[in-house]
Amino acid sequence: MPENAFLSAHPGSGEDLRIVSGSKIQMLGLDAIKLRLGPRWDRMSDLVHRYFKAAIKCEMSPGDTFCDFGELSYFLLFRDLSVAEAQLKCAAVIQSVCRRLFGEQGEDIAVRNLVAAVDAISLDTPHARARLDRALERDGREVIFSNKNGGAVPKAEQCIRVRAGSSPAAVHTVSSSKPAFVYRPLWDTARNVVLTYICHFLPDTISGGAVSGCPFMAAEGEADQLTLDILAFRECLQRASQLRSAGLRVLLAAPLHFNTLCRQSLWAQYSAVPAPGSVEQFRDIAFVVHGFDVGIPNIRLVHELPKLSRFSKHVFCISEDDEGFHTRFRNTGIHALGIALSPGKPERQVIARMNALVRDARENAMESFALGISKRSVAINAIGAGVRYLEGPTVRASVADPKHAFVHVVEDLYRDRDYAAEERHA
Amino acid sequence: MGTAPKSLLIADDDPLVQVTLKYCLEEAGHRTAVANDGREALAYLEQNQVDTIFLDVFMPDKDGLETLLEIKRRFPHVRVIVMTGGGKRGRYDFLSTASKFGADGVLRKPVSASDLMALVNPDTPRVKAG
């Protein structure tokens, strides 16, 4: 059976191609390829390894390190590359191999980018660790096994800290646990309640580096994004069901990349995640669509975004605060426009952007929301401008008290108890 | 009508409001100073004697409500008049919050000269036109 025919018969293979990446490390897993090849793997594995090695060598520069990491993975250490550059190289390797193996359908392989912005990589087997150790030693780098506090850790939580000789201070660690989630409250300023929560990957888990906070994404490929979207959606569905069972009605907002929506094959996988059922199943789910590149034509927005209305009556679209193109969302059927504020921007600029956002939203009969409100004064100005939903450490701190879990008013922002903590957090 | 000249501080990030209030208050014989946000206002209060401060709610860096709380804590003798027009665009009444926080008076923009003077001289009876 030709590869393409095989793939057609087995759409949407379960596990995705795994990439574990650090700022200068990429580890390419072959699990998904093996899964897709199924019984053919045994006789094709040598070919796959050969393809991988050839593709990797094309992307390596003098001084870069590469080794067959065993257990269906490769390890790459790039010198003098940013995270984004390293990821691009890694994506090129995967694309090249998948194209050779599967033709055009190889593009559908979902790639999970587990660590996007940390100088660390998680390992869970001594065998893999030893290989990495040797590879790093060859490259003159120091490898430290420890937990965040520097102490010994159980095997399941082992982390590796990779410290480059030139920048000893650049050390971060990540846990090897699976992605976990956190729900950040959205304050509805019109009703003075917190009944909507946005789902984020926990920042200190592997995926957290890629998708937590605002903006949501680092530079990953769209297939990579699909996996994260599915994880978040599953989490939201499960949690919404639990909350309903407990008699609570809150709206959980799941992040969804625009590319996931656009790729028909990816969308098919995505929409197949929940069990078949009525829209009622999703009544407590909102979608926060992001990833709106300036190059996306308006007609595509009008075509793609209404797809979501079959799932949810709450579709929010969000862009970075320096992308002033909210007017493009006319006639897309979405319900709210938002911005993810970048920390460190001058407050006057931030306030001006929020004013423009509210104006654009109102002109199109939409609500507006702002994520990443880092200071109380910004929150107050946002409310004054008419921003409907707010998210940020100020709001989080204010709803930390169970008494204020749902009802939330402006006065809560000024409670002395939260003051110092908020400012430190911000 | 002879009222003692007072030392007034206008804290607002809108230059138009600054100029308008300054003109009205100086015409009435008062001394005025201007601050662009809450931080500047507090810095001014540390160095100068001020009778009354006109404080806008929506300002960058340190908003009016936060500044109000700090003034009431550190400079309890200073009268604070909180003003805003932006609250109407949103859905929240910031002037009632300001009153809860101890504001001595509130003004909704656009401000009329008579309201302004009544708040500067609260003991002077207002003369109704006609």
Side-chain angles (χ1 to χ4, degrees):
Chain A
M1 184 190 293
E3 281 84 359
N4 286 351
F6 174 81
L7 288 172
S8 301
H10 298 83
S13 61
E15 260 307 306
D16 303 315
L17 181 64
R18 294 180 69 221
I19 296 179
V20 180
S21 63
S23 65
K24 298 190 178 177
I25 293 173
Q26 304 284 349
M27 200 164 73
L28 313 180
L30 297 171
D31 317 44
I33 291 178
K34 182 181 177 185
L35 201 65
R36 283 212 173 185
L37 290 174
R40 294 151 53 86
W41 169 256
D42 286 343
R43 64 183 170 86
M44 289 187 70
S45 61
D46 286 346
L47 180 71
V48 172
H49 282 293
R50 212 161 54 236
Y51 282 174
F52 252 98
K53 284 174 184 171
I56 288 169
K57 280 175 184 168
C58 287
E59 296 294 333
M60 304 287 288
S61 305
D64 290 347
T65 304
F66 151 69
C67 70
D68 180 351
F69 205 60
E71 300 182 0
L72 304 177
S73 59
Y74 289 95
F75 168 69
L76 289 76
L77 182 67
F78 293 111
R79 272 184 192 277
D80 304 324
L81 284 187
S82 67
V83 177
E85 289 167 328
Q87 284 173 330
L88 283 176
K89 286 209 171 200
C90 197
V93 169
I94 293 163
Q95 199 173 26
S96 164
V97 173
C98 291
R99 196 174 291 135
R100 289 182 78 174
L101 283 170
F102 306 121
E104 283 188 6
Q105 293 192 49
E107 290 177 11
D108 287 351
I109 287 187
V111 176
R112 184 188 304 169
N113 193 336
L114 290 176
V115 179
V118 292
D119 294 332
I121 187 166
S122 64
L123 301 169
D124 51 13
T125 67
H127 174 65
R129 203 172 69 183
R131 278 172 173 269
L132 176 60
D133 206 342
R134 283 199 298 276
L136 289 169
E137 277 175 11
R138 278 203 305 273
D139 203 49
R141 299 198 173 217
E142 182 183 357
V143 184
I144 304 165
F145 295 94
S146 69
N147 64 3
K148 286 179 184 174
N149 302 319
V153 292
K155 184 180 172 186
E157 295 175 22
Q158 275 172 351
C159 300
I160 178 170
R161 297 195 301 175
V162 181
R163 188 158 67 192
S166 56
S167 54
V171 174
H172 305 277
T173 58
V174 292
S175 161
S176 60
S177 59
K178 286 185 178 175
F181 298 88
V182 62
Y183 289 89
R184 295 186 174 163
L186 269 187
W187 173 17
D188 181 341
T189 60
R191 297 168 57 206
N192 280 337
V193 292
V194 174
L195 289 176
T196 306
Y197 293 79
I198 289 195
C199 177
H200 286 262
F201 284 86
L202 205 59
D204 54 358
T205 60
I206 294 168
S207 297
V211 292
S212 73
C214 305
F216 283 110
M217 295 302 143
E220 314 102 325
E222 55 193 25
D224 167 30
Q225 187 57 57
L226 171 74
T227 307
L228 296 172
D229 286 347
I230 289 176
L231 284 172
F233 190 39
R234 276 183 178 148
E235 163 71 18
C236 282
L237 276 176
Q238 190 179 6
R239 190 58 64 91
S241 172
Q242 290 169 352
L243 292 169
R244 270 202 302 275
S245 303
L248 295 173
R249 284 297 301 274
V250 297
L251 192 65
L252 300 182
L256 172 66
H257 199 282
F258 185 67
N259 285 339
T260 303
L261 198 57
C262 292
R263 292 283 296 275
Q264 198 162 1
S265 53
L266 298 185
W267 176 245
Q269 287 187 43
Y270 189 88
S271 57
V273 171
S278 67
V279 178
E280 183 70 8
Q281 187 179 0
F282 312 110
R283 69 183 178 187
D284 298 333
I285 303 289
F287 289 98
V288 181
V289 191
H290 57 103
F292 294 104
D293 190 85
V294 287
I296 299 171
N298 289 5
I299 188 71
R300 202 169 180 200
L301 299 181
V302 174
H303 177 71
E304 302 289 349
L305 285 169
K307 282 179 184 175
L308 286 171
S309 58
R310 94 183 222 226
F311 285 101
S312 174
K313 292 177 181 172
H314 310 278
V315 182
F316 302 166
C317 287
I318 190 165
S319 64
E320 310 300 323
D321 64 355
D322 50 357
E323 296 170 351
F325 58 97
H326 285 108
T327 50
R328 301 177 63 200
F329 293 98
R330 283 187 189 129
N331 305 319
T332 54
I334 65 167
H335 307 96
L337 280 177
I339 46 175
L341 300 172
S342 308
K345 273 215 165 161
E347 217 168 302
R348 284 173 198 272
Q349 272 185 34
V350 170
I351 293 166
R353 283 293 301 128
M354 287 193 299
N355 278 306
L357 167 77
V358 172
R359 189 188 58 234
D360 291 344
R362 286 199 173 155
E363 281 176 2
N364 295 288
M366 298 170 194
E367 295 291 356
S368 51
F369 66 100
L371 306 185
I373 300 261
S374 59
K375 287 178 67 184
R376 177 167 47 205
S377 54
V378 177
I380 289 296
N381 279 282
I383 300 166
V387 175
R388 174 72 186 265
Y389 301 100
L390 300 182
E391 185 271 344
T394 308
V395 179
R396 288 203 291 278
S398 294
V399 299
D401 185 340
K403 277 189 300 186
H404 297 273
F406 295 111
V407 179
H408 188 58
V409 294
V410 163
E411 284 89 328
D412 289 339
L413 293 177
Y414 294 90
R415 282 182 290 146
D416 288 341
R417 186 176 61 77
D418 300 326
Y419 190 101
E422 282 168 24
E423 295 299 318
R424 275 200 302 274
H425 196 110
Chain B
M1 189 166 55
T3 56
K6 291 185 175 174
S7 175
L8 308 173
L9 177 62
I10 303 159
D12 197 311
D13 60 330
D14 185 341
L16 189 62
V17 173
Q18 290 176 359
V19 169
T20 310
L21 290 189
K22 191 176 169 64
Y23 175 79
C24 290
L25 295 168
E26 288 184 351
E27 277 289 293
H30 301 295
R31 296 184 305 276
T32 64
V34 168
N36 289 304
D37 56 47
R39 281 188 207 288
E40 278 187 26
L42 288 165
Y44 185 86
L45 288 175
E46 283 172 2
Q47 304 289 330
N48 301 277
Q49 184 69 34
V50 172
D51 297 311
T52 302
I53 176 171
F54 290 89
L55 193 59
D56 183 35
V57 172
F58 304 115
M59 293 186 291
D61 296 328
K62 205 172 187 76
D63 64 76
L65 295 177
E66 189 176 343
T67 310
L68 164 66
L69 288 171
E70 195 159 341
I71 291 172
K72 284 296 165 189
R73 195 171 68 242
R74 293 172 55 194
F75 310 99
H77 61 280
V78 176
R79 293 184 71 241
V80 183
I81 312 298
V82 175
M83 51 188 185
T84 185
K88 280 198 289 189
R89 280 191 290 158
R91 298 154 168 115
Y92 196 86
D93 183 7
F94 287 91
L95 294 183
S96 66
T97 303
S99 296
K100 283 184 203 167
F101 282 4
D104 298 285
V106 293
L107 274 176
R108 191 172 293 284
K109 296 179 191 172
V111 178
S112 74
S114 59
D115 287 343
L116 193 64
M117 290 311 150
L119 284 165
V120 173
N121 304 302
D123 299 331
T124 306
R126 293 179 73 172
V127 179
K128 289 189 178 176

